[in-house]
Amino acid sequence: MTWRLVLDDKARCGAWALERIAHVPSWGEWFEAIGLERDGDLLAVVVYNLWSGADIAMHVAAMPGRRWMTRAFLRAVFRYPFVQLGCRRVTGYVPASNLDAQRFDEHLGFVREGVMREALDNGEDVILYGLLREDARRFWE
């Protein structure tokens, strides 16, 4: 079994993530993506977009289960925004009905910061999560 970080194929990773995140129609003009594959098949992808300098949006798409959540993958996906780009924070947008994603974000240390009422096309609310650089250091140090 061969695990590999995919750092150089944002088109493939972005398309894979779009298939699994129903409420996102596109990543916009600028995005980056990091994937994790096993034996050539993607298991998880993190996509970044809406970069403002201080903040960047972070979206996670993954196969069911937590086997994909390796230390190497977590290190890579948090080093990119905080170390490489120099962001002070990352922001997560989670549909209010996605309780698994809310628990996952909170497990990683994201803090619930607010609600964007009726933000999705179907009228559903979006929960806004934030993670500050100092709270994410444990992933790469």
Side-chain angles (χ1 to χ4, degrees):
M1 190 173 351
T2 305
W3 294 77
R4 182 177 84 89
L5 287 174
V6 180
L7 305 171
D8 57 355
D9 197 351
K10 76 176 189 178
R12 174 181 168 225
C13 289
W16 189 89
L18 277 177
E19 291 174 9
R20 286 153 182 82
I21 302 177
H23 67 275
V24 177
S26 80
W27 299 120
E29 290 184 33
W30 180 91
F31 77 94
E32 288 295 337
I34 297 174
L36 177 68
E37 64 179 21
R38 185 179 66 208
D39 298 328
D41 295 323
L42 285 168
L43 298 179
V45 168
V46 172
V47 175
Y48 309 89
N49 67 351
L50 306 176
W51 182 34
S52 70
D55 179 43
I56 195 166
M58 182 175 179
H59 312 268
V60 179
M63 298 300 287
R66 301 273 192 243
R67 291 185 168 208
W68 57 268
M69 199 165 44
T70 67
R71 284 187 185 271
F73 187 60
L74 288 174
R75 185 179 311 114
V77 301
F78 285 108
R79 278 184 62 83
Y80 178 71
F82 291 117
V83 177
Q84 288 181 250
L85 295 181
C87 293
R88 289 194 308 265
R89 63 171 284 131
V90 295
T91 300
Y93 301 86
V94 180
S97 63
N98 193 340
L99 300 179
D100 286 339
Q102 291 176 48
R103 281 190 292 274
F104 175 72
D105 281 5
E106 291 168 8
H107 174 76
L108 290 176
F110 281 80
V111 174
R112 184 177 171 146
E113 296 181 332
V115 176
M116 298 168 60
R117 296 177 300 149
E118 298 184 24
L120 298 180
D121 287 342
N122 65 0
E124 184 176 357
D125 294 348
V126 170
I127 310 298
L128 189 67
Y129 280 93
L131 181 66
L132 299 179
R133 177 185 176 95
E134 58 266 21
D135 298 327
R137 285 185 186 278
R138 64 190 166 97
F139 293 112
W140 70 84
E141 288 185 338

